[in-house]
Amino acid sequence: EGNMELRNGLDVARNEVMPVVQELLPLQTSLFMNRARCRQNLGMHIEAAQDLSTVLALWKTVDKRMLEADPEMKEAEMKGLYTAEYLRARSRLAMGLIKQASQDVKDALARNPPTATIKQLRELKAEVSAAQEKHRQVNGPLAKELAKMAIGLRGGPKIS
């Protein structure tokens, strides 16, 4: 379905290149996953989350027929997806992105990971819930006061 030009200038049929790219996918994703883990350990959560988003995007590019034909690749995809979502949730929580972290945990749990991973995800879910509750306690009264001020500035009724 057309040609593609390689970096060295050669034209190659797309259908000859894509299987090779697909075969290298697990290596590419593990590279980004390992770099993300290193970055998390260094406190570089923005960069780690970017790497993990790249892992998720790479797995979305996989030819679904190839996954169905190769059970080992299908298993690698599932493990890569729930692991990336778990790790990205950790980074997002560390950055204070509580809603996004919660969604990552939910997405990872929906993939039916193994028991040990479920345990880690539930622990992280508890951390996310605690962060959400703290956020509500801190920001709830503040939001109420800001709403009162806004009503007062518009000349509305006094609220106590």
Side-chain angles (χ1 to χ4, degrees), residues 1-22:
E1 305 185 38
N3 287 345
M4 59 189 296
E5 186 176 331
L6 299 178
R7 198 181 304 177
N8 63 6
L10 292 175
D11 262 0
V12 180
R14 183 177 299 272
N15 62 353
E16 292 176 16
V17 173
M18 290 312 289
V20 174
V21 171
Q22 296 283 337

Side-chain angles (χ1 to χ4, degrees), residues 81-155:
L81 290 172
Y82 66 69
T83 303
E85 287 164 341
Y86 167 77
L87 292 171
R88 189 172 70 172
R90 288 203 89 47
S91 282
R92 285 179 164 180
L93 182 59
M95 292 186 293
L97 302 173
I98 300 166
K99 285 183 182 178
Q100 293 92 330
S102 178
Q103 187 61 52
D104 280 342
V105 170
K106 190 181 298 184
D107 292 345
L109 283 168
R111 296 185 189 285
N112 298 318
T115 307
T117 305
I118 290 174
K119 182 180 178 200
Q120 290 177 313
L121 285 163
R122 286 189 178 145
E123 289 170 4
L124 182 56
K125 187 176 181 179
E127 290 178 44
V128 169
S129 294
Q132 285 174 323
E133 184 57 34
K134 184 177 181 181
H135 184 268
R136 278 189 213 105
Q137 289 174 354
V138 170
N139 292 331
L142 180 61
K144 187 176 179 180
E145 285 303 314
L146 288 172
K148 287 181 193 177
M149 287 175 54
I151 291 171
L153 290 172
R154 288 185 292 213

Side-chain angles (χ1 to χ4, degrees), residues 24-70:
L24 293 175
L25 191 66
L27 294 173
Q28 289 176 310
T29 58
S30 66
L31 176 129
F32 280 102
M33 191 95 70
N34 289 335
R35 187 169 73 173
R37 284 186 171 118
C38 292
R39 287 176 163 179
Q40 281 181 328
N41 290 335
L42 294 171
M44 299 170 65
H45 293 287
I46 293 170
E47 295 84 353
Q50 289 170 341
D51 280 349
L52 295 161
S53 293
T54 300
V55 170
L56 295 169
L58 283 169
W59 278 117
K60 287 180 183 173
T61 66
V62 173
D63 181 2
K64 300 304 174 200
R65 292 174 299 186
M66 186 180 79
L67 287 176
E68 298 307 320
D70 187 350

